[in-house]
Amino acid sequence: MAERYTEEELTKGKELFSQDCSFVLGVASLSQLPADDREEIAFAGRSNVGKSSLVNALTGRKTLAKTSNTPGRTQQLNYFMLTDKLYLVDMPGYGFAQAPEALVKKWQKMLFAYLQGRVNLKRVFLLIDSRHGIKKVDAEIMDMLDKAAVNYQIVLTKADKISAAELEKIVSATAETIKEHPAAHIDLLITSSEKKQGIDELRAEIAKLINYV
Ligand code: GTP
Ligand code: MG
């Protein structure tokens, strides 16, 4: 089921994301990670699923995170700081990317190590393309997050690209899969960065998550 939010929660979300957000650094290897002195949330998912676009939609900034038609655009863990409270981490995509295989393997290794080992990581938002649903490679990531007991939540993206009937089908199939994954948040979120659908709800979820008052 998709979660519902109170007016107050939605307002808090808007307030949080109306604050200043700026790029901090791009991390190409784990030794470059910033100090874990504040909470962070990460946006993960297959290449081209819409991670960078979602960071832009959330922060209301069109070009804060670089987006592209070519899978594999984001090649580092890109850190953004929202006020001084929270890091938003735009991750490189996993799965297909237009990059040499050795490089893709190197990213994958880093992504796994980061996801499993980052102590201040409050939640991973795992993005799934509404047109495709959860694929094998996504299920593998979910298994890994379950094993590492990392709190994560599924976010369906690009909801504008399919019909309401198709969306309904993918939502129920995804909800069924979520039930099999112990570390997954029971509610999923439905978004379109293009049409700004579900963005206020995701903001509210994040504000709730960090107890933003
Ligand atoms: P990588 O960094 O390569 O892993 O990709 P990403 O997950 O960051 O995807 P990105 O945000 O760069 O978006 C990929 C493509 O999908 C771009 O052409 C976006 O314009 C498009 N896109 C992203 N979100 C949406 C959406 O909600 N609706 C539609 N129609 N297109 C979207
Ligand atoms: Mg990206």
Side-chain angles (χ1 to χ4, degrees):
M1 264 300 286
E3 187 153 9
R4 300 275 170 271
Y5 299 89
T6 64
E7 278 307 315
E8 197 188 339
E9 287 168 346
L10 290 166
T11 305
K12 284 290 162 222
K14 273 189 199 156
E15 258 175 52
L16 173 62
F17 278 90
S18 67
Q19 319 256 348
D20 216 37
C21 187
S22 54
F23 176 72
V24 182
L25 86 162
V27 170
S29 77
L30 293 183
S31 60
Q32 300 166 343
L33 281 171
D36 51 13
D37 57 357
R38 72 203 71 203
E39 292 179 326
E40 71 192 48
I41 55 173
F43 298 88
R46 298 172 74 209
S47 299
N48 209 45
V49 69
K51 299 173 292 295
S52 301
S53 301
L54 191 62
V55 168
N56 289 339
L58 282 169
T59 55
R61 304 258 305 268
K62 283 206 174 72
T63 55
L64 187 64
K66 290 190 185 70
T67 65
S68 161
N69 263 321
T70 312
R73 179 65 185 84
T74 308
Q75 309 202 342
Q76 301 182 323
L77 296 171
N78 281 329
Y79 270 78
F80 301 91
M81 192 164 72
L82 183 60
T83 73
D84 55 357
K85 290 200 183 336
L86 182 68
Y87 282 136
L88 311 178
V89 185
D90 179 16
M91 298 185 71
Y94 53 77
F96 174 77
Q98 282 178 7
E101 199 181 322
L103 192 61
V104 172
K105 283 223 170 88
K106 194 182 144 218
W107 291 348
Q108 194 105 318
K109 227 173 127 190
M110 178 177 82
L111 299 188
F112 274 49
Y114 164 79
L115 289 171
Q116 291 171 318
R118 186 73 168 162
V119 293
N120 57 328
L121 183 58
K122 276 291 266 192
R123 185 174 294 172
V124 176
F125 290 96
L126 185 59
L127 277 54
I128 303 290
D129 191 317
S130 298
R131 296 168 298 177
H132 308 313
I134 295 173
K135 297 278 188 193
K136 187 162 168 270
V137 62
D138 302 309
E140 283 167 13
I141 299 277
M142 292 169 78
D143 288 339
M144 183 270 283
L145 294 171
D146 288 330
K147 280 204 192 90
V150 177
N151 181 311
Y152 66 99
Q153 183 166 19
I154 301 293
V155 177
L156 294 177
T157 61
K158 307 192 187 183
D160 59 285
K161 289 233 185 195
I162 59 171
S163 70
E166 286 169 320
L167 185 62
E168 203 176 306
K169 262 194 228 156
I170 206 86
V171 167
S172 40
T174 308
E176 281 308 307
T177 307
I178 287 174
K179 284 187 199 153
E180 297 159 13
H181 291 273
H185 194 290
I186 194 75
D187 295 306
L188 58 85
L189 291 154
I190 301 162
T191 62
S192 161
S193 297
E194 188 88 10
K195 300 273 185 266
K196 308 287 174 266
Q197 180 192 343
I199 302 303
D200 284 340
E201 287 76 10
L202 182 50
R203 288 173 177 152
E205 182 64 39
I206 294 166
K208 245 166 78 169
L209 183 68
I210 64 164
N211 299 313
Y212 181 70
V213 282

